[in-house]
């Protein structure tokens, strides 16, 4: 009996990128997951938000949640 587990991930993209560049990054990540045997059922774009603490001297990020 083979039951596939469902995983989810949230990643942050540099908010300084233009909207079309953000879409390209999301597409690249999604293609990477599907090319390595995963399936993506849903992509939620949470948009640009302030980070809880600075990461690499950046204070804002574009949040993406994949299921």
């Amino acid at each position: 009996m083979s039951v596939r587990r469902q995983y989810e991930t949230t990643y942050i993209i540099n908010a300084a990128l233009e909207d079309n560049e953000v879409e390209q990054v999301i597409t690249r990540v999604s293609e990477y997951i599907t090319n390595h045997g995963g399936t993506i059922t849903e992509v939620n774009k949470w948009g640009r938000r302030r980070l809880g603490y600075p990461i690499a001297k950046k204070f804002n990020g574009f949040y993406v949640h994949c299921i």
Side-chain angles (χ1 to χ4, degrees), residues 10-57:
T10 302
Y11 55 95
I12 305 169
I13 302 170
N14 186 351
L17 297 176
E18 297 292 328
D19 289 338
N20 61 345
E21 294 172 322
V22 170
E23 289 298 326
Q24 290 174 355
V25 172
I26 294 170
T27 303
R28 261 195 331 230
V29 171
S30 298
E31 287 175 355
Y32 180 85
I33 292 170
T34 55
N35 289 341
H36 287 84
T39 56
I40 297 177
T41 58
E42 189 176 338
V43 176
N44 297 319
K45 300 172 191 169
W46 293 349
R48 288 177 173 82
R49 297 176 182 240
R50 185 157 178 82
L51 301 173
Y53 52 88
I55 299 175
K57 299 182 183 177

